[in-house]
Amino acid sequence: MIGPRQRRAKRVAFIQQALVLLAVGLLAVLIARNTVINLQARGLASGFDFLWQEAGFKIAFALIPVDATSTYGRVFVAGLLNSLLIAALGIIAATLLGFLLGIARVSPSPPLRFLTRGYVELVRNLPLLLHLLLWQAVILRSLPTVKDAIGLGGIAFLSNRGLYLPMPLLGNQANLLLSALGAAAVMAAIAWILHRRARSHGEAPPLLARGLSAGSLLLLVLVLIGLDWQVPQLSGFDYRGGLKLMPEFVSLIAALTLYNAAFIAEIVRAGIQSVDKGQREAAAALGLSSRQILRLVIVPPALRVIVPPIANQYTHIIKASSLATVVGFPDLVNVFLGTSLNQTGRAVEIVAMTAAVYLVLCAAVALATEAFNRRVALVER
Amino acid sequence: MHAPSSSRLTPSGVLATARAYPFSTFLTVGLLYVALWLTWRIVDWAVIEATWQAGDRAGCNPEGACWAFILNRLPQFTFGFYPEAERWRAWIVLLAPPALLLLAMAPDFKGRRWIIAGGFIAYPVAALALLSGGSLGLSHVPSDQWGGLLLTMIVGIGAFVLSFPLAILLALARLSKLPALRWLTIGFIDFWRGMPLVAVLFMSVIMLPLFLPPGFEISRPGLALTGLTLYSSAYLAEVIRGGLQSVGRGQTEAALALSFGFWRTQTYIVMPQALRAVLPGIVNSVIALFKDTTYVMIVGLFDLLNIVTAALSDARWLGLATEGYVFVGVIYWLFCFVLSHVSSRLEAQQSRVVRQDQILTGSTQ
Amino acid sequence: MTAPTSIKVRSLSKWFGSWRALQGVSVDIEGGACTVLCGPSGSGKSTFLRCLNGLEEWQTGEIEIGGIAVGDQPRALTRLRRDVGMVFQSFNLFPHLSVLDNVTLAPRRLLHRRRKDAEEQAMRLLQRVGVARQADKLPAGLSGGQKQRVAIARALAMEPKVLLFDEPTSALDPESVKEVLDVMIELAKGGTTMVVVTHEMGFARRVASRVLFMDKGRIVETAEPEAFFTCPCSERAKSFLADIGPP
């Protein structure tokens, strides 16, 4: 029911919002006008056509083939993939280390608690950029030259020019590899569905599910062994072949991991401590084993507390991957917002594209967290 | 792994415990050894073998830290390229915030309100006028000569002082009843929160000059400060929003019934409670902001970290990265550690007050 | 002394979504007297009271306080609320301010009184409601009865012509109820227009000049307290009084 007072209030609200939109619109028009004038004054072109033009610069590390004749579009993709690679590795490593440290933070051993607490307090009160520069200085200074590289089992080598790893050669095997991976994925998916259905009915998972998951694992191992691995070989002044990780890359991952692990450790500690002691004791009184207590009583509620802030930390890692720019590793910001923008002058287009990438990535993390929260909320009811 | 509980420990003694939990004991001893060894190595390097006075790298003991490098460069690390004759101005600017803070924390000090107002309005203006000079008989010092700790402080304090009022407005708009205003604010906040600070700084240096009317220019520190301000205001706004939402509706209603209007209700009733509720969060944002000031090196400013990094390539002092970064680290660490302790103490205090409140109301009902 | 402020309500209706909380209430509330509003819970009495100072929106109908319409224009509404004090069931004291500052805040910020004058007035009011000794404490350190008396002093500090009480004793223990009711009885003698939503039938019987009985969003019965309590006309009022027990 809407009375005359509500109608008036609605009218007022409409006018107020129109005024807000008008003010923001005016500001946007003013900025757009200034930008156009400024761009013209500097003789800069606009439009997205540059994406198909030749970039003419090389990228020191890329997951897809890039050379001096590649287009800016390809440079964008290469930079994006590098950013994603840093973020993914950083997230995985920081999570592993963070959980270890977090559990150690609540361990019954006082020296272990003390040491991990010292680590956390030391690391998180220093700027990430300082971590990065320090690591770069340490790695560059303390590692041997290529000639005296440290061999890791004869297949990987570490020197002050980077970390050399064996890499599979993808040639005519690519199709075979892809189909094998696809088959493994399908098998794993079916196994997972069967497993879940059985669990929701309270039954043991059928033999087929176990067979399928074992099969997909076997397939993966076969693919890994069957690949044509290329081991780095010393030739002249550098190693040839295999995968070369730049020292910048290694120090970046090290800094991201060590810094964010300290924050994740605190999140994990808070999560574990949030589980009521009484619940633990009640479970012990029911005769559950300590493993069962961990799996059934501590982990589910702790995860509910841990996941949202950890997702926040993941967002931070994704964004911090752009620090690659500082040490000169070719991530998205470095090659696109940096070099490409300098060469083409398409400021508006390039900034918009870069911003869109990060906004989409952050939104993806936020959506995933939301989905998790919804699922957890359902389970709770 | 289970803790030997104290009831088991007391009667039989340490040895018996060690026999009962061999792995745990082994771990403990091992870790203690590691901790002691690390402490010894650090003390040995930083104090015992360290050199405090030398003319160059060659004069330093290679077994220990070469603090002579830091001491030699200390004025530059503190003030950047600020002219030596004018450094008293920088001293005033650097020492004013701690002095004001100490005054404000003194118990029963009546002028606290004035200090807070002065700190937010008068100090930034006065500091800027004093540093850049050009009036009142002070010579002009262009902003590209500011550097070192001085620049770090200017950027940090400047970004906080500017982003705080902006964050309050954003938080209010975020909770507005007008959908258009609310959605615009959500978009604004999420945009800045979703961007890496590196990209934000790049953008502010590249895009801001384009946005401004032709012929209108901002100095590089100004551009970086603008970017950092917008970035941190989005984070602060979310913290303050949490505080606003924690203030009950009854408070607003009581204020309205006393005939307070919207802005006065916010100023006198809601904001003081909201900000107090999220003070730990605000302090944490200050810590994050202070650490984030190091990013200004990306746009070529010589803040503390960058000026030390630059000094590392001095031919007379090559290879002293560890000393340089440890020096920077100690400064950042002390500041952040003290603030994070303030934050966690505030948090503990607040939860105690809440508990007391519950006990009191509980006992009277 | 000016004439006491009366309240005129004409066909006031309010919907919460599709549920009609007030069904065309029309009533004249006498100035300078104490009117008690009672009825079963959910009958709309609190909603009605909150409409009087515009804390609650309504859809149709008019309210006039002292001849001035309670409008929906924020500025006019704020001006009108200066003359209409309100006391809440949950006190709603400002927890970040001392008792004294709770009382002086509105006079100082809205009437621009000087601090000294405002504090003198506040101390007089606190004396009157019997919590002067608590003036420097924070609300968290007070008992429920003390809190509610401070809330009354806070409302009085704006020197309102009308005082609205929204179940002022419902959140209190029996001992505190008496403290607060004594203050209210004192106030009623002073000749302010009072509208009180309460379940304290003893208070209604002793102090009220009129009792309004509400049920299902309507005023079902309007009577002198003696008449209402000895022989209520409506069946609904009879069963309500039977449930709640004799005053």
Side-chain angles (χ1 to χ4, degrees):
Chain A
M1 173 70 194
I2 291 170
R5 292 169 78 92
Q6 281 70 35
R7 269 198 292 278
R8 265 198 303 279
K10 265 196 165 164
R11 212 157 48 227
V12 171
F14 181 79
I15 294 172
Q16 285 173 332
Q17 297 187 62
L19 284 177
V20 168
L21 289 177
L22 191 71
V24 173
L26 274 179
L27 189 70
V29 168
L30 194 72
I31 287 177
R33 183 184 146 271
N34 286 341
T35 310
V36 169
I37 293 177
N38 283 321
L39 283 176
Q40 275 169 356
R42 286 163 214 205
L44 297 173
S46 57
F48 284 97
D49 53 308
F50 74 98
L51 288 175
W52 288 270
Q53 289 166 6
E54 199 172 280
F57 62 91
K58 278 200 253 177
I59 295 180
F61 177 91
L63 295 172
I64 53 170
V66 180
D67 55 35
T69 61
S70 299
T71 60
Y72 284 108
R74 201 171 179 84
V75 165
F76 170 78
V77 175
L80 174 59
L81 287 177
N82 281 351
S83 286
L84 289 177
L85 178 70
I86 301 164
L89 287 179
I91 285 175
I92 293 168
T95 308
L96 291 176
L97 183 59
F99 267 81
L100 278 180
L101 288 170
I103 292 168
R105 279 285 268 126
V106 292
S107 108
S109 153
L112 193 57
R113 279 206 308 269
F114 178 78
L115 275 184
T116 42
R117 168 142 191 233
Y119 174 82
V120 168
E121 293 284 9
L122 176 69
V123 163
R124 69 172 181 172
N125 285 318
L126 294 174
L128 175 54
L129 196 46
L130 178 65
H131 279 281
L132 179 56
L133 293 178
L134 189 61
W135 271 99
Q136 209 193 5
V138 168
I139 288 180
L140 281 182
R141 205 176 64 164
S142 61
L143 285 178
T145 55
V146 174
K147 240 170 65 187
D148 310 312
I150 307 167
L152 305 167
I155 51 167
F157 302 92
L158 190 62
S159 84
N160 62 4
R161 308 245 317 248
L163 177 65
Y164 302 84
L165 294 173
M167 194 175 67
L169 274 182
L170 298 178
N172 36 19
Q173 281 182 321
N175 285 333
L176 186 72
L177 173 77
L178 276 181
S179 44
L181 278 181
V186 169
M187 281 161 77
I190 294 173
W192 188 66
I193 291 169
L194 286 174
H195 205 97
R196 259 188 61 158
R197 187 173 300 161
R199 230 194 11 210
S200 66
H201 290 294
E203 299 160 4
L207 211 61
L208 180 63
R210 293 183 184 197
L212 278 175
S213 37
S216 68
L217 211 68
L218 194 70
L219 206 56
L220 266 181
V221 172
L222 278 179
V223 165
L224 284 179
I225 294 174
L227 278 174
D228 188 4
W229 288 94
Q230 193 187 32
V231 176
Q233 301 274 329
L234 186 62
S235 73
F237 296 110
D238 203 356
Y239 280 90
R240 294 285 143 90
L243 180 69
K244 178 187 173 189
L245 296 177
M246 301 156 66
E248 291 82 13
F249 181 82
V250 178
S251 54
L252 182 63
I253 296 291
L256 278 179
T257 303
L258 294 171
Y259 180 76
N260 287 291
F263 288 86
I264 291 178
E266 281 305 280
I267 294 168
V268 170
R269 177 188 64 86
I272 295 175
Q273 286 178 341
S274 74
V275 180
D276 191 25
K277 203 179 160 201
Q279 285 186 12
R280 249 174 286 172
E281 282 165 0
L286 280 173
L288 294 180
S289 73
S290 59
R291 255 184 84 168
Q292 278 173 318
I293 291 175
L294 190 71
R295 195 165 65 85
L296 299 172
V297 182
I298 297 181
V299 170
L303 268 189
R304 208 167 301 158
V305 180
I306 287 172
V307 166
I310 264 198
N312 229 351
Q313 206 61 38
Y314 288 172
T315 314
H316 181 262
I317 297 178
I318 292 174
K319 298 198 301 173
S321 70
S322 59
L323 273 181
T325 308
V326 179
V327 288
F329 182 78
D331 79 319
L332 178 65
V333 171
N334 187 6
V335 297
F336 204 57
L337 200 58
T339 318
S340 298
L341 197 148
N342 264 338
Q343 293 190 3
T344 62
R346 309 285 168 99
V348 182
E349 295 81 356
I350 286 181
V351 165
M353 280 175 76
T354 314
V357 165
Y358 285 104
L359 293 181
V360 166
L361 289 178
C362 288
V365 174
L367 283 178
T369 321
E370 195 124 314
F372 173 84
N373 283 342
R374 250 202 317 274
R375 236 184 91 173
V376 166
L378 277 178
V379 169
E380 200 163 11
R381 246 188 299 145
Chain B
M1 206 164 62
H2 281 283
S5 79
S6 54
S7 57
R8 277 182 231 155
L9 197 107
T10 27
S12 34
V14 180
L15 267 179
T17 321
R19 225 174 294 135
Y21 300 93
F23 177 72
S24 175
T25 311
F26 179 73
L27 187 75
T28 304
V29 171
L31 285 171
L32 273 177
Y33 176 76
V34 169
L36 281 176
W37 181 80
L38 265 178
T39 315
W40 165 245
R41 279 299 301 269
I42 290 168
V43 169
D44 184 54
W45 176 80
V47 183
I48 298 175
E49 303 280 352
T51 312
W52 296 85
Q53 302 227 310
D56 57 10
R57 172 80 208 260
C60 282
N61 175 8
E63 294 300 308
C66 181
W67 298 124
F69 164 57
I70 305 292
L71 289 177
N72 259 318
R73 292 279 185 142
L74 202 54
Q76 196 197 26
F77 290 168
T78 317
F79 300 111
F81 310 104
Y82 208 83
E84 233 176 305
E86 306 293 335
R87 283 196 181 146
W88 58 272
R89 281 147 67 174
W91 273 115
I92 295 178
V93 171
L94 278 182
L95 292 180
L100 283 176
L101 210 66
L102 276 180
L103 256 180
M105 291 207 311
D108 293 327
F109 183 64
K110 286 278 185 277
R112 191 173 304 173
R113 197 181 290 257
W114 290 108
I115 286 192
I116 292 171
F120 270 96
I121 301 156
Y123 173 74
V125 178
L128 202 66
L130 191 63
L131 280 178
S132 82
S135 58
L136 297 169
L138 295 171
S139 61
H140 178 61
V141 181
S143 61
D144 54 3
Q145 292 184 7
W146 308 358
L149 187 62
L150 176 68
L151 186 70
T152 296
M153 296 285 286
I154 292 171
V155 172
I157 295 177
F160 179 69
V161 163
L162 292 173
S163 65
F164 198 70
L166 184 60
I168 288 179
L169 291 180
L170 284 174
L172 286 174
R174 173 80 174 71
L175 297 173
S176 161
K177 271 180 276 182
L178 304 175
L181 185 58
R182 199 169 57 232
W183 284 106
L184 277 175
T185 317
I186 291 176
F188 183 87
I189 291 176
D190 282 357
F191 175 81
W192 292 109
R193 277 165 41 101
M195 292 299 289
L197 185 52
V198 176
V200 169
L201 288 168
F202 260 106
M203 279 162 50
S204 52
V205 171
I206 297 163
M207 298 299 282
L208 262 183
L210 290 179
F211 288 169
L212 294 171
F216 196 92
E217 266 182 42
I218 304 183
S219 67
R220 212 154 240 259
L223 292 172
L225 186 60
T226 312
L228 197 58
T229 300
L230 291 171
Y231 182 79
S232 77
S233 73
Y235 281 89
L236 261 181
E238 287 296 280
V239 172
I240 294 174
R241 175 175 71 110
L244 288 176
Q245 284 172 325
S246 77
V247 178
R249 235 185 65 188
Q251 293 292 311
T252 324
E253 285 187 349
L256 289 178
L258 281 170
S259 83
F260 280 83
F262 174 80
W263 287 107
R264 283 185 177 150
T265 304
Q266 298 302 326
T267 312
Y268 297 116
I269 313 297
V270 178
M271 257 327 147
Q273 294 183 52
L275 294 183
R276 207 166 296 199
V278 292
L279 201 54
I282 292 175
V283 175
N284 285 338
S285 300
V286 171
I287 297 175
L289 175 63
F290 187 63
K291 289 192 290 184
D292 283 346
T293 56
T294 50
Y295 282 59
V296 297
M297 80 154 48
I298 288 156
V299 293
L301 296 186
F302 284 95
D303 73 317
L304 178 62
L305 182 56
N306 200 16
I307 210 161
V308 170
T309 307
L312 295 180
S313 52
D314 182 340
R316 285 186 306 146
W317 301 99
L318 274 180
L320 297 175
T322 316
E323 283 84 349
Y325 290 138
V326 164
F327 167 71
V328 179
V330 165
I331 290 179
Y332 272 98
W333 190 83
L334 280 178
F335 183 87
C336 296
F337 182 73
V338 168
L339 271 189
S340 71
H341 261 245
V342 169
S343 158
S344 55
R345 267 190 56 184
L346 283 171
E347 214 158 338
Q349 212 175 343
Q350 259 164 16
S351 62
R352 207 167 56 232
V353 169
V354 169
R355 257 203 316 276
Q356 257 174 12
D357 202 20
Q358 281 163 353
I359 291 166
L360 277 168
T361 46
S363 66
T364 53
Q365 277 174 15
Chain C
M1 201 178 142
T2 49
T5 308
S6 60
I7 302 172
K8 205 160 94 179
V9 180
R10 286 295 170 267
S11 49
L12 183 69
S13 288
K14 169 164 180 78
W15 280 262
F16 286 109
S18 61
W19 182 60
R20 198 172 175 188
L22 295 174
Q23 319 214 13
V25 176
S26 294
V27 68
D28 285 306
I29 294 172
E30 195 187 345
C34 176
T35 305
V36 164
L37 204 56
C38 63
S41 57
S43 59
K45 47 193 195 311
S46 276
T47 308
F48 174 76
L49 191 78
R50 287 158 57 84
C51 285
L52 294 182
N53 68 348
L55 273 189
E56 201 79 61
E57 270 294 326
W58 69 87
Q59 273 80 12
T60 57
E62 275 92 47
I63 301 174
E64 271 181 23
I65 295 184
I68 300 167
V70 179
D72 49 5
Q73 211 253 324
R75 206 169 291 244
L77 198 57
T78 302
R79 178 71 197 74
L80 183 117
R81 282 177 184 146
R82 239 177 229 193
D83 296 330
V84 184
M86 189 162 192
V87 175
F88 297 85
Q89 177 181 352
S90 49
F91 328 128
N92 293 350
L93 291 180
F94 305 134
H96 61 299
L97 298 176
S98 72
V99 165
L100 190 64
D101 290 340
N102 259 282
V103 181
T104 58
L105 185 71
R108 283 182 60 203
R109 298 298 169 198
L110 301 174
L111 308 176
H112 303 292
R113 294 250 173 84
R114 269 181 301 172
R115 176 192 274 269
K116 202 169 142 267
D117 298 346
E119 283 183 353
E120 269 171 22
Q121 179 215 20
M123 285 312 292
R124 272 201 308 278
L125 289 171
L126 290 174
Q127 204 95 51
R128 193 166 147 199
V129 299
V131 283
R133 282 175 58 193
Q134 267 72 30
D136 292 327
K137 283 191 187 166
L138 284 178
L142 265 53
S143 75
Q146 288 170 330
K147 279 184 192 167
Q148 195 59 296
R149 284 182 284 159
V150 172
I152 294 174
R154 181 177 71 177
L156 289 174
M158 289 296 281
E159 290 161 3
K161 296 178 183 135
V162 178
L163 265 176
L164 310 176
F165 291 85
D166 188 4
E167 307 203 21
T169 56
S170 297
L172 300 176
D173 57 300
E175 209 166 312
S176 306
V177 169
K178 192 179 168 307
E179 296 170 3
V180 172
L181 288 182
D182 285 345
V183 170
M184 288 169 63
I185 292 167
E186 194 66 31
L187 277 176
K189 284 183 195 153
T192 324
T193 309
M194 284 166 67
V195 186
V196 184
V197 171
T198 186
H199 292 296
E200 295 294 330
M201 291 303 125
F203 172 81
R205 195 161 192 170
R206 259 183 76 191
V207 183
S209 64
R210 252 190 342 161
V211 174
L212 307 179
F213 178 75
M214 281 189 81
D215 187 40
K216 295 186 177 136
R218 286 204 176 81
I219 295 186
V220 183
E221 202 168 332
T222 310
E224 304 279 310
E226 264 325 300
F228 179 73
F229 288 112
T230 44
C231 82
C233 306
S234 64
E235 279 308 307
R236 201 60 198 85
K238 273 178 200 158
S239 70
F240 172 71
L241 285 175
D243 284 349
I244 208 164

